[in-house]
Amino acid sequence: MLYAKGAGLVNRHYHPHQVFAYTISGKWGYLEHDWVATAGDWVYEPPGESHTLVAYEHEEPMKVTFNVTGPLVWLDENGEPEGTFDVFDYIQICKEHYEKVGIGADYVERLIR
Amino acid sequence: MLYAKGAGLVNRHYHPHQVFAYTISGKWGYLEHDWVATAGDWVYEPPGESHTLVAYEHEEPMKVTFNVTGPLVWLDENGEPEGTFDVFDYIQICKEHYEKVGIGADYVERLIR
């Protein structure tokens, strides 16, 4: 789930696999498209489509479930790959956060089986 | 999306691929499991797990997004396959409904590209 309390941006990237999104609350879209999604809106992303995610100002936070497979590939200003981000990066970030807030990095292991 | 206005049952079946569910409203579960899902609950189904879906009585209708790939396989009383159900069956049911309510079977073509 992507949760944004205020306006924000996720840099341009693509997913090698298809993505399915369902909007729980808030307002979001991609700079590359005209549509804007709000509560109840589904979005289908074909494999390989590149986009820049925008969370817009809204009275509710942006909460969207993204069903994603595999990594995403970051793109630079010229549209060339410049790195990836996948579940192992999420786990690493999670560990750092759990350590910082005092419940310990290993807490994440309880969510994995 | 599976939408049930009242209590109901979906006969035992399995999906050859994994399934991801997000509960929008209502109360549901599988006869084969102890858990009960309500608004905000995610459910992951590993490929091949057989189950019998129950929509429970609730003040809100059961609305659940299921991200499904391919067909489901119906199982008989002995756990043996007895037919499949896939997107082409959904389209057929949709056509019959659209015809019945007067907007015409072909209306479904507008949703397909």
Side-chain angles (χ1 to χ4, degrees), chain A residues 1 18 20 22 24 42 65 67 69, chain B residues 1 18 20 22 24 42 65 67 69:
Chain A
M1 186 164 87
Q18 54 188 352
F20 304 87
Y22 172 73
I24 299 167
W42 275 266
T65 68
N67 185 244
T69 309
Chain B
M1 187 164 85
Q18 53 188 353
F20 304 88
Y22 172 73
I24 299 167
W42 275 267
T65 69
N67 185 244
T69 309

Side-chain angles (χ1 to χ4, degrees), chain A residues 26-68:
Chain A
K27 186 176 170 184
W28 68 285
Y30 293 123
L31 290 183
E32 293 80 1
H33 292 283
D34 288 335
W35 55 261
V36 170
T38 53
D41 287 339
W42 275 266
V43 174
Y44 170 74
E45 305 172 12
E49 195 227 44
S50 72
H51 44 233
T52 310
L53 189 150
V54 195
Y56 296 104
E57 287 286 350
H58 196 266
E59 59 260 38
E60 299 279 329
M62 174 198 168
K63 284 190 194 171
V64 179
T65 68
F66 286 97
N67 185 244
V68 172

Side-chain angles (χ1 to χ4, degrees), chain B residues 67-86:
Chain B
N67 185 244
V68 172
T69 309
L72 67 76
V73 180
W74 298 116
L75 298 174
D76 67 16
E77 289 176 3
N78 303 313
E80 296 298 325
E82 61 169 5
T84 62
F85 194 88
D86 66 12

